[in-house]
Amino acid sequence: MGQQSERLREQLAPDGTVLLTVECQEGVVGPESALPELGAAARESGALRNVARLVAAAHEAEVQVLHAVAERRPDGRGANRNARLFRAASRLPVQQHSGSPAVRIAAPIEVADQDLVVRRLHGLSPIAGTDVDALLRNLGCRTLVVTGVSANVAVPNAVFDAVNLGYTVVVPGDAIAGVPADYTPAMIRNTLALVATVTSTDEVLDCWKASRPVSRA
């Protein structure tokens, strides 16, 4: 095993790692997405499928999974209105209303009983202003694996917030998506790679597979 692979394996030790899925919900990445271009990018690029693979592998390796969901009350109370993005989202035909199908975790991702789901009513980040940091610290998290959407806004917010809070961040580049499609690799290369360990879904899966205890008959 090379030095870089050994370092990644150490970073991804199951007892200190949490897998974060960002806005992988039906109303964002599902067939009836409020943002059809983003939803299509997540599905057609294979990013959503790779998130599902990572979640399944995390369950097997006993890595904690945390799903971050963005939603809003039907009356909009507490929601931001201080940016064009928020105002545009409030007019979309599909709304991320609390309790609606739009805020369910999207297939093919499977949510296990031990997974945590954190829902936010405001802001751009799945970490800032939410319970995520406190939960990660209580879980003994040292490394946060960030997946999901979008590479334009929420994913880089999550990465920067996690780094600022002292976590090591790992980004499987093929498990995030944004629009246009060619923006994602450019953003990963020129921005996220400066602060996070960029890897692939298969490399993460290999690390977790190697970390699983060998069963003895």
Side-chain angles (χ1 to χ4, degrees):
M1 179 180 291
Q3 185 175 1
Q4 185 172 351
S5 297
E6 181 61 32
R7 179 170 172 268
L8 181 64
R9 182 172 174 178
E10 291 174 359
Q11 289 177 332
L12 293 172
D15 61 350
T17 299
V18 172
L19 172 65
L20 176 70
T21 75
V22 179
E23 297 183 25
C24 291
Q25 56 204 73
E26 288 289 352
V28 176
V29 297
E32 304 301 321
S33 171
L35 304 164
E37 187 179 2
L38 177 59
R43 297 189 303 275
E44 294 169 7
S45 68
L48 183 59
R49 181 176 65 253
N50 285 330
V51 174
R53 293 173 64 208
L54 287 162
V55 169
H59 292 157
E60 291 185 12
E62 299 184 356
V63 171
Q64 180 66 54
V65 179
L66 194 159
H67 305 281
V69 174
E71 58 184 48
R72 61 184 282 130
R73 289 167 50 112
D75 61 11
R77 287 182 182 272
N80 288 68
R81 297 177 177 83
N82 58 332
R84 185 162 60 102
L85 175 63
F86 301 122
R87 295 191 293 272
S90 69
R91 297 191 295 268
L92 292 172
V94 177
Q95 291 292 304
Q96 315 298 319
H97 285 163
S98 302
S100 73
V103 298
R104 295 175 187 164
I105 302 300
I109 299 169
E110 295 188 3
V111 180
D113 290 341
Q114 67 268 26
D115 292 2
L116 297 173
V117 180
V118 175
R119 303 178 182 277
R120 77 178 194 276
L121 293 172
H122 62 86
L124 300 170
S125 172
I127 297 179
T130 73
D131 292 335
V132 170
D133 180 39
L135 293 172
L136 294 179
R137 294 189 188 282
N138 289 346
L139 291 163
C141 177
R142 297 184 297 276
T143 298
L144 186 66
V145 182
V146 177
T147 67
V149 298
S150 72
N152 306 77
V153 179
V155 167
N157 263 265
V159 171
F160 290 140
D161 286 344
V163 171
N164 284 331
L165 289 166
Y167 299 101
T168 295
V169 178
V170 172
V171 178
D174 55 357
I176 67 172
V179 291
D182 59 359
Y183 174 76
T184 300
M187 188 276 299
I188 292 172
R189 182 174 61 253
N190 295 299
T191 303
L192 297 189
L194 301 178
V195 296
T197 298
V198 176
T199 184
S200 68
T201 294
D202 285 341
E203 288 176 317
V204 175
L205 297 184
D206 287 345
C207 289
W208 286 343
K209 183 177 181 180
S211 299
R212 291 205 300 267
V214 178
S215 60
R216 296 181 180 179

